[in-house]
Amino acid sequence: MERLPRRAVRGQQTEDGLHTDMLVERARWWPVLLCVMSLALLAYAAWAARWVRPSGDDWCFLPVVRDGGLTAMVDKFYFKDNGRVVNAVLVWAYARFDVAGQQWFGPASGVLILLLLWAFCAAALTVTERRPPRGTALFMASTVTAVFLFGSLNTYKTFYWPAASVSHTLPPVFACAAIVPVLRATSLRGRAFALCTVAATGAALGLLSEETTVVALVAVGCTVVISGRVIPAERRRFVRLWCAAATAGLLTGMLILYTSPGALHRRQTKSSSIMLAPKSLWESLYGFAYIALRCLTAWPYLGAFAGGIVLGCLLLRATAERVVRAKNAALLIGSCIVVLGIAGYACTVITYPAFRTGVMTSTRLWNDYLLLYVLFLVYAGALAAFAWHRRGRRVATARATGAAVYSVVCLGLAASLAILDSDMAARARAWDQQDTRMRSQAAAGARVLPYRRLPISKMTEPFGHGGDKTWPALCVARYYRVQDITNATGEP
């Protein structure tokens, strides 16, 4: 048999999916290079957090924590507002540092989200029984973090506004983190730890975010339904037991929250009795259809799909035919779509009484299920790479295309962050000037202070909505320890 030239052999191996040491070494750099871009986005966004200043609900939280501490914050949430005790603790954790807590919340929560998703992605990769290049798990985590936080239609409320982040951005990440122990459990002690962790996390989520709790319950229920086909027989019983523990924890937390005086007061003031009325259900369906269309056509989410394509190409370094079975892949894709549809609609239904048609514009409410959407897009991108390879096409082409789209999305997100950074800086300077003036006037004995509205990214400010909302003005007055504030239209 005629001996082929070395270059021809290497080319033939590439077409057959059998990679040489040089290709393996070259592939190791792909996740590192792409990861740098998404991590740079996170670093830039964290640096811009120095411009964050109080707004919206924070006007009310800050004086409560200042005057009464943790006890007053828990009392406010459990007995008056909504019953979310864990939410109260997290708000106290940053509000006790006043404005500095607002500024440090974004960087701290961003790093926490990245670390938790890194642990989740690393554990998920072990399920594939493949050894992708080093840095692949971090690449996945940074991709999901960047798209989830900065691909939002309102990045300020998703990442920079602590009150919204605590209620809608962090909870789904905590839910993902609770999956890590079950994926890592290989011993009896590890399985016991996984059961205890998910039960405790479920109870905490029930007292933190009703929407994330609903998403988690739907996802857990779907896992039980499909477990007979996608989970190996030797682990199936434990996974179902884990799902039972998760359900018990989530329901326990929800029960404590639902029976709290704060939740009862919220249901009475927000007319929650209309939740299951036919008109409410129909308008919630229309609202969710609008939300789904907005998300499906939002260009930043292409970054998650492109990242998934690169991930699939990295996994194809190993024997590609055994990466995933076609039947399981179709079942998992269908299950993800079902969970997203049911959970997203359910979240819209339970928030409709409080927000009415505002559910279509209050983008922070979408985050409870958008993290699942981003993870789904990554998985779908990986499956697209597998399908491309099975048709005998070059993996290098798919990888280059995915990397190019990924880079363009990162550049687009960087441009959006730059615009937001400029807006935040302008507001921060005006806010600081006004804050200095109001504090000096209050110290001089003034009981009524003029306040000029400083809105940003559709945040609630005093005297907004035609003056219908009076609570922000009352909270601002309490923050400056005065009797009242008036609407100032001139320069501060």
Side-chain angles (χ1 to χ4, degrees):
M1 180 177 180
E2 183 180 358
R3 184 181 179 86
L4 295 175
R6 184 178 182 84
R7 181 174 300 176
V9 172
R10 182 174 298 167
Q12 184 65 36
Q13 288 177 336
T14 302
E15 294 176 357
D16 294 339
L18 302 176
H19 299 269
T20 63
D21 292 339
M22 181 178 293
L23 292 177
V24 171
E25 186 67 26
R26 187 180 304 169
R28 291 177 181 176
W29 291 100
W30 281 89
V32 176
L33 294 175
L34 297 179
C35 186
V36 168
M37 289 189 288
S38 50
L39 290 179
L41 283 175
L42 182 59
Y44 178 45
W47 174 246
R50 70 191 187 280
W51 301 120
V52 174
R53 299 295 186 271
S55 186
D57 293 7
D58 293 322
W59 284 121
C60 299
F61 297 157
L62 291 174
V64 172
V65 173
R66 178 194 64 200
D67 299 337
L70 177 60
T71 303
M73 201 69 222
V74 172
D75 177 80
K76 172 179 172 61
F77 272 66
Y78 184 75
F79 290 99
K80 302 173 184 177
D81 288 354
N82 46 42
R84 301 171 188 166
V85 177
V86 176
N87 199 316
V89 175
L90 293 178
V91 169
W92 167 83
Y94 72 80
R96 60 196 294 259
F97 300 106
D98 199 38
V99 177
Q102 306 274 313
Q103 297 169 345
W104 280 101
F105 181 86
S109 64
V111 172
L112 177 62
I113 290 172
L114 177 65
L115 292 177
L116 293 179
L117 290 179
W118 190 0
F120 170 76
C121 293
L125 285 175
T126 62
V127 178
T128 66
E129 298 181 354
R130 296 293 172 267
R131 292 186 177 181
R134 291 182 180 179
T136 301
L138 180 58
F139 162 65
M140 289 177 60
S142 61
T143 298
V144 175
T145 301
V147 175
F148 179 52
L149 295 180
F150 313 127
S152 169
L153 296 179
N154 193 328
T155 297
Y156 190 90
K157 290 187 176 182
T158 297
F159 180 66
Y160 291 109
W161 186 25
S165 181
V166 163
S167 300
H168 304 288
T169 303
L170 288 176
V173 178
F174 293 155
C176 283
I179 303 175
V180 175
V182 70
L183 296 177
R184 294 288 191 182
T186 57
S187 63
L188 183 61
R189 182 176 298 179
R191 294 185 175 188
F193 177 75
L195 294 176
C196 295
T197 300
V198 74
T201 304
L205 287 176
L207 292 168
L208 176 61
S209 171
E210 297 95 322
E211 292 82 8
T212 297
T213 302
V214 169
V215 175
L217 284 173
V218 174
V220 168
C222 185
T223 301
V224 174
V225 172
I226 67 174
S227 60
R229 296 185 59 182
V230 300
I231 298 176
E234 61 273 12
R235 290 183 60 86
R236 192 174 301 151
R237 181 178 179 182
F238 166 62
V239 170
R240 289 174 177 173
L241 182 61
W242 181 88
C243 291
T247 303
L250 291 166
L251 293 178
T252 299
M254 285 191 68
L255 180 62
I256 296 174
L257 184 147
Y258 185 82
T259 56
S260 67
L264 176 61
H265 177 261
R266 183 179 178 85
R267 290 195 297 271
Q268 292 173 345
T269 56
K270 300 298 183 180
S271 303
S272 295
S273 58
I274 70 168
M275 181 185 302
L276 300 180
K279 181 180 178 181
S280 177
L281 294 175
W282 172 253
E283 292 187 355
S284 297
L285 180 60
Y286 176 80
F288 179 64
Y290 173 85
I291 294 170
L293 181 62
R294 290 289 302 275
C295 294
L296 289 172
T297 56
W299 62 266
Y301 294 111
L302 280 175
F305 186 78
I309 291 177
V310 176
L311 171 65
C313 294
L314 294 173
L315 291 177
L316 284 169
R317 288 179 56 242
T319 308
E321 290 75 13
R322 296 201 306 269
V323 171
V324 64
R325 291 182 296 176
K327 292 184 179 180
N328 283 354
L331 180 60
L332 288 174
I333 284 288
S335 300
C336 287
I337 295 175
V338 170
V339 170
L340 281 170
I342 295 177
Y345 176 61
C347 288
T348 308
V349 168
I350 64 177
T351 54
Y352 179 82
F355 293 87
R356 302 301 173 103
T357 56
V359 296
M360 296 187 292
T361 56
S362 299
T363 55
R364 70 183 187 278
L365 303 176
W366 311 352
N367 292 332
D368 296 277
Y369 49 88
L370 279 186
L371 178 61
L372 181 61
Y373 176 57
V374 173
L375 292 171
F376 165 74
L377 289 177
V378 172
Y379 179 62
L383 291 183
F386 299 157
W388 179 273
H389 176 71
R390 280 196 296 269
R391 293 187 177 185
R393 298 172 179 174
R394 291 175 58 86
V395 174
T397 303
R399 187 173 57 193
T401 302
V405 174
Y406 187 91
S407 301
V408 171
V409 171
C410 286
L411 292 175
L413 293 178
S416 299
L417 283 174
I419 296 173
L420 181 58
D421 178 37
S422 177
D423 294 340
M424 291 168 58
R427 180 181 187 269
R429 295 187 182 98
W431 193 97
D432 290 340
Q433 294 176 9
Q434 179 164 257
D435 179 67
T436 300
R437 173 183 58 80
M438 295 182 71
R439 288 184 184 276
S440 63
Q441 291 178 350
R447 302 303 299 162
V448 178
L449 302 178
Y451 176 88
R452 185 170 69 96
R453 297 180 66 248
L454 298 171
I456 183 172
S457 297
K458 300 181 180 179
M459 292 291 295
T460 301
E461 279 284 293
F463 315 113
H465 299 276
D468 294 336
K469 289 189 176 181
T470 59
W471 63 264
L474 298 175
C475 292
V476 172
R478 183 177 179 182
Y479 180 77
Y480 288 106
R481 303 180 190 271
V482 296
Q483 183 179 350
D484 196 9
I485 63 171
T486 58
N487 188 6
T489 56
E491 293 295 328

